[in-house]
């Protein structure tokens, strides 16, 4: 029997290797922080449902609405980071601003929040600041130098 299966060879001998490498680089788009998109979306999802998870929807109705709106905003930022990373990573600092707002919101929006509500928002806010800074610093590091 004849050996009809081609042997594995190095791709560098392929006639279109430069075009294939360029297409691969365009497809990746310099995405160094792709692993951050999922946690950002999950953080937004948790922020949106946290009033019902921690059962403070009846004691803090203003914070319930607030967390729902901010959670949806964080989730939309995460979807934007995934769908159009070249344009959206400039908004990473907005993620940090949302995190700082989440930290101080229980005392501004809420009506004398208890410790559980405050700790929940502080943790969500701190994670938003950390993830936003990770996105911002990685985007700044991978930006082309002029």
């Amino acid at each position: 029997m004849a050996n009809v299966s081609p042997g594995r060879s190095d791709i560098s001998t392929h006639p279109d290797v430069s075009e294939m490498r360029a297409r691969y680089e365009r497809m990746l788009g310099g995405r160094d922080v792709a692993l951050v998109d999922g946690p950002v979306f999950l953080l937004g999802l948790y922020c949106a449902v946290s009033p019902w998870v921690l059962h403070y929807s009846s004691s803090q109705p203003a914070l319930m609405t607030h967390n729902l709106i901010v959670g949806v905003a964080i989730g939309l930022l995460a979807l934007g980071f995934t769908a159009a990373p070249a344009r959206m990573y400039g908004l990473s600092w907005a993620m940090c601003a949302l995190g700082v707002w989440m930290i101080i919101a229980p005392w501004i929006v809420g009506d004398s929040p208890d410790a559980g509500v405050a700790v929940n928002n502080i943790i969500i806010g701190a994670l938003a600041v950390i993830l936003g800074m990770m996105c911002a610093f990685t985007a700044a590091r991978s930006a082309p130098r002029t």
Side-chain angles (χ1 to χ4, degrees), residues 44-69 71-72 117 120:
L45 182 66
Y46 175 74
C47 180
V49 301
S50 64
W52 292 276
V53 171
L54 297 178
H55 304 291
Y56 64 86
S57 57
S58 61
S59 65
Q60 297 286 335
L63 271 176
M64 177 188 70
T65 307
H66 170 267
N67 280 20
L68 178 65
I69 292 170
V72 168
V117 173
N120 179 58

Side-chain angles (χ1 to χ4, degrees), residues 19-32:
E19 181 184 339
M20 290 178 358
R21 285 185 179 150
R23 187 180 311 156
Y24 183 71
E25 288 298 320
R26 276 194 320 268
M27 185 179 69
L28 284 180
R31 303 259 340 256
D32 291 340

